[in-house]
Amino acid sequence: MKAALSALGVLVALVAIWQVVSLATGLPAYILPSPAQTLAAGCAQRTILASNALTTLGEMVLGFATGALLGVLCALAMAAAAPLRRLLRPALIASQAIPVFALAPLFVVWMGYGLAPKIAIAALVIFFPVAIAFADGLRRTPPALLEAARVMAGPGARWRVLLHIALPAALPALATGLRLGAGVAAIAAVIGEWAGSSSGLGYLMLWANSRSQVPLMFATLIVLFVLAIAFSALVDHLSRRLTPWLKETD
Amino acid sequence: MGAPVAPRIRLHGFGIAYGGAPLFDGLDFEAAGAGVTALLGASGVGKSTLLRAIAGLAPPGAGTAATEGGVSLMAQDDALLPWAGAIDNVAIGARLRGARPDRARAAALLASVGLPQLAGLPGAWSGGMKKRVALARLLYEDRPVALLDEPFAALDALTRGTIHALAARLLEGRLALLVTHDPLEALALADRIVVLGGSPARIALDETPPQRPYAALRDALDPGLRRLHARILLALGTSS
């Protein structure tokens, strides 16, 4: 509650500064719209904003789910077998070495203007932090837990040790990966939309910009911001449930 | 079903190195039948490495480290699962062997270590509670050979006394090898006291306390025990 109040305080202060700057400089709305003009544009176009926000949210959720699932599977495969680890680790690094901005237009060429390339781009971006964090977590089981488990399990119980010891011990790392992935979900969706789309907040931003409707562009940006924060907060909340035994220190 | 195997630990020509330096080279040691053997030695002499080798966690570089009867291990670090409650922690061995955990037996063992209704997760338990749960887990494993690696080192003196009495009672009938750096703990719990010393380590002292061990702390003024205590300290001193 305290955190929410202080965040609200920061937000109010930022809007106040924005209003002061736009009043003091007297810049026209097509360069720097005031908060009031932005709000007016947002209210006037609320249906368009809402429907495009829904598109972007869908891309974020589906892209996050796909990327997180692939990341988890990749990390599990790497933990399961050393040859797979040697094979997948360079591929994992390579997947991030190519800038997603460069890949996005190709994805559109291959998959069309619909939902598919946006999900693919978001999944590609989100896959990496989830896979890396979870794989590291799976490799860093506390040695004391592992040794105790090996004595209890006896020989040939590698899979059960992985399932009952290494996997739960890696959940805090997975939660971190999911939080990092959630943070970039909105950016990934917008990159996908910029590469080619007919709806979504990224598309709406380009559309408004090309028509010099800068107040609408600002309103879109704010909706995107709120969407990204809300999505991150939701994933943060859910990922905490993965690790109920962890106490947080301030 | 044949007759139960008599528990036995046997090291023959045992050698192992740690970080390039030989900790043991040609060590012979044997313990058989029920009873507590305390293994003392200065820090770094290789007590824990020896225990890990006996548990099958570290292959010997030379010779053999064999056990008969099946082994359970209680480490200095409790190695409790931070995400699991008391019963799940006690019965985790069953899951790891692909069997169904016997929750009723786990609950009964928790009651036997004085924690009949322990709720919550390990993060919320005291050091003494964690030791008791780890002890209950050791008993759940129900192996003839129990290896204990300084399990009570981190406890305060008062708690340690209570846990000692509990451990002595619960370990009866097993072959327990207790690694400790505390001569008084050895005198309190052990039927046999072995001191390791030197580099590579050899057996510097191998003694049987003159009386039933569990009374040792109460009889701390007994001249025989005091002499043995002095000799343990001497053996430890020469080893470091």
Side-chain angles (χ1 to χ4, degrees), chain B residues 62-137:
Chain B
T64 54
T67 56
E68 284 167 32
V71 174
S72 57
L73 172 72
M74 183 171 169
Q76 180 169 16
D77 180 320
D78 308 301
L80 295 178
L81 309 175
W83 55 84
I87 286 179
D88 288 318
N89 257 301
V90 171
I92 181 65
R95 277 189 205 286
L96 289 168
R97 291 184 289 274
R100 181 187 286 273
D102 186 345
R103 301 181 69 83
R105 195 163 83 82
L109 286 171
L110 280 167
S112 78
V113 297
L115 298 169
Q117 300 286 335
L118 181 60
L121 299 171
W125 304 337
S126 72
M129 285 169 157
K130 288 183 196 165
K131 292 295 170 204
R132 284 164 192 261
V133 174
L135 201 54
R137 183 171 66 182

Side-chain angles (χ1 to χ4, degrees), chain A residues 144-154 157 160-161 164-166 168-170 244-245 247, chain B residues 52 55 57 71-73 77 79-83 92-93 95-98 121 123 137 141 143:
Chain A
L145 291 190
L146 222 45
E147 294 203 332
R150 283 187 186 139
V151 173
M152 287 188 273
R160 287 194 289 268
V161 172
H164 294 297
I165 308 293
W245 68 93
K247 285 195 209 91
Chain B
R52 290 179 69 248
L57 292 167
V71 174
S72 57
L73 172 72
D77 180 320
L80 295 178
L81 309 175
W83 55 84
I92 181 65
R95 277 189 205 286
L96 289 168
R97 291 184 289 274
L121 299 171
R137 183 171 66 182
E141 294 300 294
R143 305 293 171 85

Side-chain angles (χ1 to χ4, degrees), chain A residues 79-148:
Chain A
L84 277 175
R85 179 159 59 241
R86 284 193 290 274
L87 196 75
L88 285 172
R89 204 154 181 105
L92 198 60
I93 305 295
S95 79
Q96 297 307 297
I98 305 163
V100 72
F101 275 101
L103 278 181
L106 270 180
F107 278 37
V108 173
V109 170
W110 293 336
M111 300 180 194
Y113 279 71
L115 204 57
K118 284 82 176 178
I119 293 172
I121 289 161
L124 181 68
V125 171
I126 289 153
F127 159 82
F128 182 72
V130 174
I132 283 281
F134 193 35
D136 281 353
L138 287 168
R139 290 178 69 192
R140 288 177 192 160
T141 313
L145 291 190
L146 222 45
E147 294 203 332

Side-chain angles (χ1 to χ4, degrees), chain A residues 17-28 31-34:
Chain A
I17 292 168
W18 175 14
Q19 180 72 52
V20 168
V21 169
S22 68
L23 280 176
T25 56
L27 287 168
I31 293 175
L32 181 69
S34 70

